[in-house]
């Protein structure tokens, strides 16, 4: 599960610089009381939000309620599609749930960028403990549900072009992430392929991201 979530962050890095960088490590745990034998597990380190903001010539906004309409529209469109890509519904902009906010240092009146994180409840990870919120009306996190507001077709197509441009790089990365079993990688890629099939079907794009998008 950890390795799959790690891959999600790496894929997000391929799509946008406004994303948390991560580093995979192996940690050996030793019981100082000597009751448990030392054991080693994978983990990953995640970039601090201040460093992410600095890389993008921005600074973090803290303790301020921000509504979706107040955020940078283009970047939020990307985030909405990315969350749909990985099958994640465990996030909220106005509730600041699994979201950070940064704003350009040179223009404090600019609309903030939303920076999502925490993907263990996504369908792409498919953790055994992950259960979608009852109000969403879906029974499993594997079922994708678009949680963004409607966007114009031109806006969507611009964003979709980015995902298509990076598809080969993304799939090659998953193919060569041999720490995960071949079976896990194939399931992972299959879930991504479903997303790409959707965004390259104009009828589905209009249905999911425009006509049936959330309105409140």
């Amino acid at each position: 599960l950890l390795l799959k979530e790690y891959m999600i962050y790496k894929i997000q890095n391929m799509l946008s610089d406004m994303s948390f960088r991560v580093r995979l490590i192996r940690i050996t745990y030793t019981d100082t009381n000597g009751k448990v034998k030392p054991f080693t597990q994978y983990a990953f380190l995640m970039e601090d939000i201040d460093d992410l903001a600095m890389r993008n010539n921005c600074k973090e906004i803290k303790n301020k309620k921000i509504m979706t309409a107040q955020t940078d529209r283009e970047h939020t469109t990307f985030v909405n599609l990315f969350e749909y890509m990985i099958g994640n519904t465990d996030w909220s902009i106005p509730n600041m749930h699994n979201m950070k906010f940064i704003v350009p240092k040179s223009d404090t009146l600019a609309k903030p960028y939303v920076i999502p994180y925490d993907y263990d409840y996504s369908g792409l990870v498919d953790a055994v403990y992950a259960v979608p919120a009852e109000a969403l009306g879906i029974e499993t996190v594997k079922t994708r549900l678009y949680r963004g507001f409607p966007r114009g077709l031109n806006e969507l197509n611009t964003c979709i072009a980015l995902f298509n441009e990076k598809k080969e790089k993304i799939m090659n990365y998953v193919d060569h992430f041999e720490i995960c079993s071949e079976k896990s990688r194939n399931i992972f890629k299959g879930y991504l392929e479903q997303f790409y099939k959707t965004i390259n079907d104009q009828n589905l794009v209009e249905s999911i991201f425009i006509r049936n998008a959330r309105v409140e």
Side-chain angles (χ1 to χ4, degrees), residues 119-212:
Y119 304 127
D120 64 318
Y121 265 63
S122 68
L124 201 47
V125 172
D126 193 25
V128 293
Y129 56 79
V131 179
E134 187 175 344
L136 297 177
I138 55 176
E139 296 183 357
T140 170
V141 293
K142 293 282 285 184
T143 301
R144 285 187 172 92
L145 179 67
Y146 181 62
R147 297 288 294 144
F149 290 97
R151 289 294 194 253
L153 197 54
N154 287 340
E155 291 176 288
L156 291 168
N157 285 336
T158 297
C159 192
I160 287 169
L162 169 65
F163 284 93
N164 282 329
E165 177 189 342
K166 300 295 183 179
K167 180 183 178 181
E168 183 177 358
K169 184 177 181 180
I170 289 169
M171 294 302 186
N172 283 340
Y173 172 76
V174 178
D175 266 333
H176 291 90
F177 193 73
E178 296 180 354
I179 300 173
C180 274
S181 68
E182 184 178 1
K183 179 180 178 181
S184 292
R185 283 179 280 143
N186 286 337
I187 293 173
F188 197 94
K189 287 195 301 177
Y191 195 76
L192 291 176
E193 286 287 4
Q194 293 172 7
F195 167 76
Y196 275 103
K197 183 177 180 180
T198 296
I199 63 171
N200 286 292
D201 184 320
Q202 200 76 1
N203 290 329
L204 289 177
V205 168
E206 292 181 15
S207 174
I208 295 170
F209 307 121
I210 300 177
R211 292 196 300 273
N212 294 301

Side-chain angles (χ1 to χ4, degrees), residues 89-106:
T89 58
D90 186 30
W91 60 276
S92 171
I93 291 175
N95 292 325
M96 296 180 286
H97 179 57
N98 291 336
M99 289 283 173
K100 297 288 186 180
F101 304 88
I102 61 175
V103 67
K105 288 181 178 179
S106 59

